[in-house]
Amino acid sequence: MLNGKLSRKRRGYIALMRTLMYACAALICALVLFLIAFVLVKGVPNISWELLSTSPSYLKERIGILPDILNTVYIVIATLFIVLPLGVGAAIYLTEYAKNKRFVAFIESAAETLSGIPSIIYGLVGMLFFCQFLGMQTSLLAGAMTLVIMNLPTIIRTTQESLKTVPQSYREGAFGLGAGKWRVIRTVALPGCVDGIITGCILSVGRILGESAALLFTAGFAHALNGIFEGLTSAGATLTVALYVYAKEQGEFGAAFAIAAILLGLTFLINLAAALTQRYFRRKKAL
Amino acid sequence: MKDKKKAFERAVHGVFLILGLTSVCCVLLITVYLIISGIPAIHEIGLIEFLFGTTWASTAAEPAYGILPFILTSVYGTAGAIVIGVPIGFMAAVYLAKVAPPKVKTVMESAVSLLAGIPSVVYGLVGMLVLVPGIRKMFHVPDGASLLAAIIVLAVMILPSIIKVSVTALEAVPKEYEDASLALGATPVETCFRVSVPAAKSGIAAAVVLGVGRAIGEAMAVMMVSGNAANMPSLFQSVRFLTTAVASEMSYAAGLQREALFSIALVLFLFIMLINATLNFFLKRSKEG
Amino acid sequence: MKKIISLLVVGVMAVAMLAGCGVTNSGGRVSTDGSTSMEKVIGALGESFMAENKNVTFTYNPTGSGSGIKAVLEGRCDIGLSSRSLKDEEKAQGLKETILAYDGIAIIVSPANPVSDLSLEQIAAIYTGEITNWQDVGGNDASIVLIGREAGSGTRDGFESITDTVDACQYRQELTSTGDVITTVSQNPDAIGYASLASVKDSVKMLSVGDVTPSEGTVKDGSYVIQRPFVLVTKDGTALSETAQKFFDYITSEAAADIISAAGAVAAN
């Protein structure tokens, strides 16, 4: 209970801080609303079935983003295909096998270093290593490999976190029943960390969708319509790269905003999926 | 039979060990490649001339490869983004963590998550069409593509990470601290700023580190709004950052120019490692202190 | 829930594979890389080539003339595209040029700019910074904002050599593509820029140079002086793949001249 009045100084301070807080929160809300509204208003009118289902044509003066959509799907599949075994394997090693605490800390700090490197440097090294040294040329596959390294820390972290939530007693029980270490991991630890793996996947997909600097030099920006295997070995633009090219290099803002609106929608869906999965698994684990 | 099983287990252990070392290998790969590609040009141009030369004219008849303009632009740009982004983000985080009603909080947090997930090129797109003409009209400069535009875009981009990490840090402050403060007669707002915030200091510092890392490494969005001329940084001048310097000339550079670009990437990489190491060092010290 | 997720994943992969399988091109490939000014021309040519030859994949990477020359030298593409002639040192590295078409470089300003004609000397003076205000050439009282291309650009090379301003231009912005220059100039009433005639859109106004309006006709008869060749770059001594050679012959033939004209350039054949 407040006894007596507050001093003027205190009241002034409280009022100032209060105003600042509300102002900043309001500013952020306004910013988000403006961005979403601007992108949607400029983008949605340009989204047509024609845009979504055809490739760009110079002769017919038409822009279509079907190749970009397919390229994005291919690169997501390829990246996840490679990063999941690597990341989950590394996480398993860190939680189940590694005994030396300093070694574990060393590997974890390496993973953290990876997540701090800017994407343009990934693009550069990816171009040097995957495209030129390994001879993959400018291709979706080279882009996927670069994205693998970028998303490795995410997968490792989320898998590790959920592996840690598997009670040690489960493992000890399995050991007590005579199972070898690999069997224990396969039957006890892995099923227990599925939620971490899925969360990691969703986060990675979100990151892959938003990535452009790393892909610009490794996957190029071609718009050829390909099957998955053909597509992976040739250059291709993903949606985000296509957005950059249409906006900055060609001045086709209609198409650029349409892609931006699509990406906005996809980001929203991914966030929703992540939140729902987390809630589902939290409920399941609480049982 | 037992030997076979043991051998199998050993093999599995080996496989996982290799997988565990992948991240270390990747870091080594990146570092080694950058150093190998970056050193030759620095050697040929001369370290002092490279780092402190003020003219970059990579394709002139008499090429000059001084990257001081880029270094300063990146530093000023990041500093500007932090100066604008951290206070706003921090205040908003305090609001979210302490003051906001639960429904508002959920809505705002999903809005912030959306902001965090938007690809940087979308920010660049909006910046190109709204911010650049806006700056030109508001400040009566001939052209709006400038350091200021880049700073504003960067500030908006780092807001979500700052807010998220700060909110987590603030929510982790033990309730007893706040209860004690209220019991001693402080108002909720005073408790908030005089007790909770200092207690969450290390988390907020981590948020700043994250923001710095993101701002200094951003290339695409900045390339779309900053004009790309290799000038010494000035608020309304067209500028080039370390990141955009690499991105804009990479596709056609050859010979020494190309190697100089790798050196720029190396400098950027070392910069970021240095900043992270220094900030983390201070964080650890304040944690122990 | 797990079942639903795994079904979803399998479903997405199946759809992707099926969508892809339906359009597999198992035929030849021809890859081109380079000049952004040539985009419309080479894009149209590539498309009609693909329409006439089933199962052929044509790709074009818009990276700039300098980059295209480098790409063909390093073997990363079949045919390089350059919007300027090859330099001597490039020819010495074993590259061969074949002129595909001629293209004018239009000097563009915003439609809001009252100026509509400049002489070559005035343009050079503007770009070197001698003239800095529009009113000195008959326009509004405003600083001139100079927009140009990046250092490896064929368009920049052509512009600077014809106006004799090599290494002397004081650009406010150095952009990496023709489309970008057009966009930037269209948004700024005080800007001036140069871009490929074939790519100019209605969002900007073209200036006449010395009272000569840029058009296909004036480029062809040479009266519009700011022009440069669209060049196909190949490696001397190395034969092209069958598909690439077929494409090469097709685009340098007379049959392709109409497509080139429709795209805004002047065919060389």
Side-chain angles (χ1 to χ4, degrees):
Chain A
M1 198 168 63
L2 282 171
N3 222 349
K5 279 199 159 160
L6 297 168
S7 75
R8 237 183 171 186
K9 193 167 148 215
R10 278 174 79 186
R11 266 186 292 151
Y13 177 78
I14 293 174
L16 176 68
M17 291 319 228
R18 259 230 147 93
T19 334
L20 281 176
M21 273 201 293
Y22 282 122
C24 291
L27 182 64
I28 304 227
C29 284
L31 204 65
V32 176
L33 281 173
F34 169 71
L35 269 171
I36 297 180
F38 192 74
V39 169
L40 287 180
V41 162
K42 286 215 152 194
V44 175
N46 288 309
I47 300 181
S48 62
W49 180 245
E50 200 194 349
L51 183 76
L52 293 175
S53 61
T54 54
S55 346
S57 162
Y58 291 99
L59 295 176
K60 301 186 200 135
E61 303 230 333
R62 169 197 76 203
I63 296 188
I65 58 174
L66 183 64
D68 309 319
I69 296 178
L70 284 180
N71 286 334
T72 313
V73 172
Y74 298 158
I75 225 176
V76 166
I77 295 179
T79 311
L80 285 181
F81 193 69
I82 303 176
V83 85
L84 278 180
L86 285 179
V88 172
I92 290 180
Y93 178 75
L94 286 173
T95 29
E96 308 286 334
Y97 280 101
K99 297 300 167 207
N100 190 340
K101 276 233 165 108
R102 286 184 73 181
F103 191 49
V104 170
F106 174 63
I107 296 185
E108 284 181 348
S109 64
E112 230 188 275
T113 313
L114 276 184
S115 57
I117 298 179
S119 40
I120 185 89
I121 293 193
Y122 275 114
L124 200 64
V125 176
M127 182 188 80
L128 287 176
F129 186 66
F130 294 117
C131 296
Q132 290 182 6
F133 183 68
L134 288 186
M136 285 186 199
Q137 305 285 331
T138 311
S139 62
L140 285 182
L141 198 58
M145 297 298 295
T146 316
L147 288 174
V148 162
I149 307 184
M150 288 180 78
N151 285 303
L152 203 56
T154 315
I155 302 278
I156 293 181
R157 191 173 31 98
T158 51
T159 316
Q160 245 191 318
E161 275 172 15
S162 70
L163 269 178
K164 284 183 185 159
T165 63
V166 174
Q168 194 60 10
S169 48
Y170 286 25
R171 297 190 185 88
E172 287 165 4
F175 275 124
L177 288 170
K181 188 149 193 168
W182 167 235
R183 187 133 194 215
V184 172
I185 293 178
R186 189 164 47 92
T187 52
V188 174
L190 266 183
C193 72
V194 165
D195 65 321
I197 298 179
I198 295 183
T199 313
C201 278
I202 298 179
L203 287 177
S204 299
V205 172
R207 210 171 159 188
I208 296 172
L209 272 185
E211 197 45 62
S212 50
L215 292 177
L216 210 52
F217 299 120
T218 48
F221 26 82
H223 296 295
L225 202 57
N226 290 320
I228 184 165
F229 294 110
E230 176 95 14
L232 283 178
T233 51
S234 49
T238 56
L239 280 173
T240 320
V241 172
L243 199 170
Y244 174 74
V245 174
Y246 281 130
K248 192 98 170 70
E249 313 244 333
Q250 294 182 14
E252 295 283 350
F253 290 107
F257 273 108
I259 299 180
I262 295 176
L263 284 173
L264 203 65
L266 286 176
T267 311
F268 180 68
L269 284 175
I270 289 178
N271 283 350
L272 198 64
L276 285 177
T277 359
Q278 280 188 336
R279 202 190 307 172
Y280 171 76
F281 280 110
R282 211 178 299 152
R283 213 179 295 156
K284 212 173 177 215
K285 290 227 156 139
L287 283 173
Chain B
M1 185 59 193
K2 224 183 176 182
D3 281 336
K4 208 171 164 201
K5 197 171 181 204
K6 246 194 168 173
F8 176 69
E9 288 290 336
R10 277 264 206 66
V12 170
H13 185 128
V15 166
F16 279 117
L17 176 63
I18 295 178
L19 289 178
L21 288 174
T22 39
S23 34
V24 178
C25 290
C26 290
V27 175
L28 279 176
L29 180 79
I30 296 177
T31 321
V32 164
Y33 247 92
L34 278 177
I35 294 183
I36 293 183
S37 330
I39 293 286
I42 296 185
H43 186 75
E44 180 151 346
I45 302 171
L47 188 64
I48 304 291
E49 174 65 35
F50 186 65
L51 285 180
F52 297 104
T54 53
T55 327
W56 172 268
S58 50
T59 48
E62 287 212 19
Y65 293 105
I67 64 169
L68 192 63
F70 306 151
I71 296 180
L72 286 181
T73 308
S74 288
V75 169
Y76 290 175
T78 310
I82 295 285
V83 159
I84 298 182
V86 168
I88 298 182
F90 169 67
M91 280 303 191
V94 173
Y95 171 77
L96 271 181
K98 300 289 166 199
V99 179
K103 276 207 186 132
V104 172
K105 184 172 178 194
T106 336
V107 169
M108 263 194 84
E109 283 196 328
S110 44
V112 169
S113 288
L114 192 66
L115 214 60
I118 298 180
S120 41
V121 284
V122 176
Y123 285 109
L125 183 65
V126 177
M128 220 170 112
L129 294 180
V130 171
L131 206 56
V132 170
I135 291 182
R136 192 188 78 228
K137 291 188 191 136
M138 216 190 321
F139 294 97
H140 302 293
V141 281
D143 187 23
S146 55
L147 183 56
L148 182 62
I151 287 180
I152 296 180
V153 170
L154 285 175
V156 171
M157 288 180 72
I158 63 175
L159 275 176
S161 7
I162 292 183
I163 294 179
K164 267 197 191 161
V165 177
S166 302
V167 165
T168 319
L170 283 168
E171 285 178 343
V173 172
K175 201 154 185 307
E176 296 86 53
Y177 288 27
E178 295 167 5
D179 291 340
S181 168
L182 289 170
L184 286 171
T187 59
V189 173
E190 287 176 325
T191 308
C192 195
F193 285 99
R194 295 244 158 91
V195 174
S196 315
V197 166
K201 218 176 13 173
S202 64
I204 298 174
V208 175
V209 173
L210 212 63
V212 169
R214 181 124 200 234
I216 208 169
E218 183 52 48
M220 303 308 275
V222 155
M223 198 146 93
M224 292 166 98
V225 299
S226 66
N228 215 30
N231 299 322
M232 289 296 267
S234 143
L235 207 56
F236 291 106
Q237 276 272 40
S238 163
V239 289
R240 211 186 276 193
F241 291 69
L242 283 170
T243 44
T244 54
V246 173
S248 54
E249 293 192 12
M250 195 61 223
S251 48
Y252 63 85
L256 186 58
Q257 182 195 8
R258 189 180 153 103
E259 295 184 350
L261 292 180
F262 295 142
S263 310
I264 296 182
L266 179 61
V267 168
L268 180 64
F269 181 65
L270 291 175
F271 231 65
I272 292 180
M273 296 292 119
L274 199 68
I275 293 179
N276 276 347
T278 332
L279 289 173
N280 281 325
F281 175 68
F282 279 118
L283 267 176
K284 277 218 183 89
R285 257 181 64 182
S286 66
K287 235 189 230 171
E288 290 159 11
Chain C
M1 180 72 177
K2 255 196 249 179
K3 262 199 180 156
I4 302 178
I5 294 179
S6 34
L7 276 175
L8 259 173
V9 169
V10 172
V12 166
M13 291 182 75
V15 165
M17 302 240 186
L18 282 175
C21 283
V23 292
T24 314
N25 280 325
S26 52
R29 300 170 104 143
V30 53
S31 57
T32 61
D33 190 312
S35 166
T36 58
S37 309
M38 288 176 73
E39 184 186 344
K40 253 177 115 183
V41 171
I42 205 75
L45 287 171
E47 219 181 298
S48 69
F49 184 67
M50 279 201 285
E52 289 180 16
N53 299 278
K54 294 294 167 196
N55 287 338
V56 154
T57 323
F58 161 81
T59 51
Y60 159 68
N61 231 351
T63 52
S65 303
S67 166
I69 295 174
K70 203 165 64 105
V72 76
L73 195 61
E74 293 174 1
R76 284 187 282 122
C77 71
D78 295 316
I79 303 176
L81 306 168
S82 165
S83 57
R84 59 165 169 82
S85 303
L86 290 180
K87 299 183 188 153
D88 289 328
E89 58 260 24
E90 287 164 347
K91 288 187 186 161
Q93 287 178 319
L95 294 176
K96 193 174 66 170
E97 71 177 20
T98 318
I99 297 186
L100 176 69
Y102 294 97
D103 176 51
I105 302 177
I107 310 294
I108 50 176
V109 294
S110 155
N113 196 320
V115 176
S116 48
D117 175 82
L118 288 174
S119 71
L120 203 60
E121 295 77 33
Q122 283 176 312
I123 296 174
I126 288 176
Y127 266 91
T128 50
E130 282 173 41
I131 301 180
T132 51
N133 196 310
W134 278 113
Q135 55 180 14
D136 296 335
V137 289
N140 302 321
D141 179 14
S143 295
I144 308 183
V145 179
L146 299 172
I147 310 290
R149 291 287 308 277
E150 89 280 10
S153 158
T155 315
R156 170 166 162 173
D157 184 86
F159 173 78
E160 287 184 351
S161 35
I162 295 178
T163 54
D164 210 14
T165 54
V166 182
D167 278 351
C169 289
Q170 313 268 354
Y171 294 116
R172 162 83 189 178
Q173 286 199 43
E174 292 180 32
L175 305 171
T176 52
S177 77
T178 290
D180 204 2
V181 173
I182 295 176
T183 307
T184 312
V185 168
S186 70
Q187 288 184 329
N188 191 332
D190 305 322
I192 185 172
Y194 50 78
S196 156
L197 183 58
S199 317
V200 171
K201 299 187 203 169
D202 295 329
S203 52
V204 291
K205 183 170 84 168
M206 291 192 285
L207 293 179
S208 50
V209 176
D211 286 325
V212 178
T213 328
S215 74
E216 271 182 60
T218 51
V219 168
K220 199 164 189 178
D221 65 24
S223 53
Y224 186 73
V225 289
I226 314 185
Q227 51 170 279
R228 55 8 187 326
F230 276 166
V231 159
L232 302 170
V233 185
T234 45
K235 256 178 158 163
D236 207 1
T238 322
L240 288 173
S241 72
E242 200 189 313
T243 327
Q245 187 63 49
K246 208 171 166 194
F247 180 68
F248 191 88
D249 296 330
Y250 168 67
I251 58 179
T252 47
S253 70
E254 285 180 22
D258 289 329
I259 302 180
I260 297 178
S261 301
V266 175
N269 303 304

